[in-house]
Amino acid sequence: MKILIIEDEIPAAKRLENLIADCRPEAQIIDVIASVEDALEWFKDREEPDLVISDIQLADGVSFQIYEELDLECPIIFSTAYDQYAIKAFELNCIDYLLKPYNKAAL
């Protein structure tokens, strides 16, 4: 399984990478992206991953902008410290919604 992480907080991204490695050692983190702009650029010339784990609040905007501009087929797990975005997340091909801080049981 190829996983793309969109997360602008370095410690949170590292924690997520470690949890994925613990839960699914066969999974491959193909990239970690920190902004809406970089994510849009990344998807221009690459195949979709098998899964995207995407923080909602990024330094340059809300990650929903990415999925409103692109027509992705891959499933998305949104993550955030706030529960107020849940309804919007499920409107955008979301298969799950993780609240921070990340933990192994939730993942």
Side-chain angles (χ1 to χ4, degrees):
M1 173 179 282
K2 294 178 181 177
I3 302 172
L4 173 66
I5 296 174
I6 301 176
E7 170 64 70
D8 63 341
E9 298 174 21
I10 294 170
K14 290 292 181 196
R15 171 92 175 127
L16 188 54
E17 287 182 86
N18 291 335
L19 288 171
I20 291 168
D22 285 348
C23 293
R24 299 285 176 141
E26 74 281 3
Q28 177 187 5
I29 307 299
I30 56 175
D31 213 341
V32 177
I33 299 171
S35 71
V36 171
E37 183 179 338
D38 289 346
L40 289 170
E41 190 64 32
W42 190 93
F43 279 107
K44 280 184 181 176
D45 60 356
R46 292 183 176 87
E47 285 187 33
E48 287 187 23
D50 298 314
L51 175 68
V52 175
I53 302 177
S54 180
D55 187 12
I56 294 174
Q57 294 266 343
L58 300 172
D60 66 341
V62 178
S63 67
F64 295 149
Q65 296 170 261
I66 300 164
Y67 312 106
E68 289 169 345
E69 287 191 37
L70 302 173
D71 186 26
L72 300 180
E73 297 292 324
C74 63
I76 304 162
I77 297 175
F78 283 105
S79 63
T80 186
Y82 310 99
D83 61 2
Q84 68 199 41
Y85 297 109
I87 293 172
K88 179 67 175 176
F90 283 101
E91 292 172 353
L92 294 168
N93 204 29
C94 174
I95 61 167
D96 206 348
Y97 193 86
L98 292 174
L99 288 175
K100 293 180 183 180
Y102 301 120
N103 66 65
K104 189 174 182 178
L107 184 61

